[in-house]
Amino acid sequence: MSHFSTLRTKITDAEILKSSLRDLGITVKTDADVRGYNGQRLRSDIVATLEGDYDLGWSRNADGSFDLIADLWGVAKKHNQTELINSINQKYAVNKTLNEVKRPGLNNANVKLVVQ
């Protein structure tokens, strides 16, 4: 029986996700296995290799968004999974916003980003 859970996310940019994970000091692999309970593995597009025996993975959907795939019980053995996932989502949102304001046409715009 699989222990993996799949959670829908609003993440759509693979490069920004990978850079966000690296910003947080997390090792990133692409097209790799997510480690789960009792040696179970599940292939994923992007994998955050965590300390311990469990990982987080993201797999792209047909609509371009990513699902988060993980053995959340296992991740929780070494990490506060809520804080970890929230910090990844927050870093992604900040990096995505900063990337968007660099688009052509916004060169002279004044942008103030407040993170709470």
Side-chain angles (χ1 to χ4, degrees):
M1 180 166 106
S2 176
H3 281 239
F4 288 103
S5 298
T6 301
L7 304 172
R8 199 78 168 142
T9 75
K10 294 186 179 191
I11 292 172
T12 57
D13 192 308
E15 294 308 312
I16 292 177
L17 173 59
K18 290 188 282 189
S19 68
S20 298
L21 292 166
R22 288 186 195 107
D23 288 350
L24 294 168
I26 298 170
T27 301
V28 179
K29 295 179 182 177
T30 55
D31 193 27
D33 289 338
V34 179
R35 297 174 297 154
Y37 175 74
N38 202 23
Q40 291 179 356
R41 293 178 178 270
L42 190 63
R43 201 71 169 173
S44 201
D45 297 310
I46 299 169
V47 176
T49 305
L50 303 177
E51 179 185 329
D53 299 325
Y54 299 87
D55 301 318
L56 298 176
W58 288 264
S59 290
R60 188 179 294 279
N61 295 306
D63 68 359
S65 67
F66 283 87
D67 284 344
L68 172 64
I69 299 169
D71 180 335
L72 296 173
W73 174 84
V75 170
K77 288 170 71 174
K78 285 218 177 236
H79 306 274
N80 180 323
Q81 65 187 11
T82 302
E83 284 182 16
L84 177 61
I85 293 169
N86 285 345
S87 66
I88 293 167
N89 287 335
Q90 183 179 45
K91 181 57 85 172
Y92 175 84
V94 168
N95 286 345
K96 180 78 170 157
T97 301
L98 292 173
N99 187 62
E100 291 296 316
V101 298
K102 292 178 185 175
R103 288 189 354 229
L106 292 176
N107 294 345
N108 295 324
N110 289 323
V111 177
K112 181 178 181 182
L113 179 62
V114 179
V115 180
Q116 297 180 344

